[in-house]
Amino acid sequence: MVLPKEGDIIQIHSYKHNGCIHRVWEETTVLKGSQNCIIGGNDRTTVTEADGRTWITREPAICYFHARHWFNVIGMIRGDGIYYYCNISSPFVWDNEALKYIDYDLDIKVFPDMTYTLLDEDEYERHKKSMKYPQVIDRILKNNVNKLIYWIRGRKGPFSPEFIDQWYERYLTYL
């Protein structure tokens, strides 16, 4: 597998468990690309929803994807601090077309003071039934919610105080 290189512009494709496309981010600059981890940066990129609607992101963001963790993290850089949006998802795959993952509905929003809120539990329960999530997936996802909360509380990985700043500085060198 040939991974994207630093400086490459890639798309990010989010799918649902049933294989349907959920969302596409048109342009993300690769800041780090390895078999285990891809870190990217974007700003004012076009996002296309499954129904064809489009919107443009409002602020710079650093995106963290891992090949072994069932979540991804987007750190959004705003005037009053860094907000994180965490998707409970499959690990990423790269297929030379795009970085791809399955979005499993549950999200955690983290505020600059590191307080957080678990979102979309009702959507998760609905999709778990309608898309027939296997019990093993349900268990993995719930374990990864707990792992993600542990990372948030411990300021590990993308939640460490310097992570977003360091990668944003790198991103700025590509603009």
Side-chain angles (χ1 to χ4, degrees), residues 46-109:
T46 300
V47 180
T48 304
E49 301 288 340
D51 63 6
R53 289 180 301 124
T54 62
W55 53 278
I56 297 174
T57 62
R58 294 185 311 223
E59 63 268 313
I62 300 298
C63 310
Y64 172 88
F65 298 91
H66 204 279
R68 294 197 177 112
H69 299 304
W70 286 68
F71 53 81
N72 60 64
V73 178
I74 296 103
M76 297 166 290
I77 303 162
R78 297 183 179 159
D80 61 341
I82 298 167
Y83 290 77
Y84 298 88
Y85 200 85
C86 312
N87 296 293
I88 300 300
S89 67
S90 68
F92 84 87
V93 295
W94 171 257
D95 70 355
N96 295 321
E97 177 192 15
L99 181 149
K100 298 178 178 179
Y101 67 91
I102 299 170
D103 180 292
Y104 280 103
D105 316 308
L106 291 171
D107 302 302
I108 298 179
K109 185 174 182 180

Side-chain angles (χ1 to χ4, degrees), residues 6-31:
E6 267 187 48
D8 285 353
I9 306 293
I10 64 169
Q11 286 190 345
I12 298 170
H13 294 185
S14 169
Y15 293 84
K16 286 299 185 182
H17 183 79
N18 62 6
C20 292
I21 192 76
H22 173 54
R23 190 171 283 143
V24 173
W25 287 260
E26 289 299 323
E27 293 186 350
T28 295
T29 303
V30 174
L31 306 174

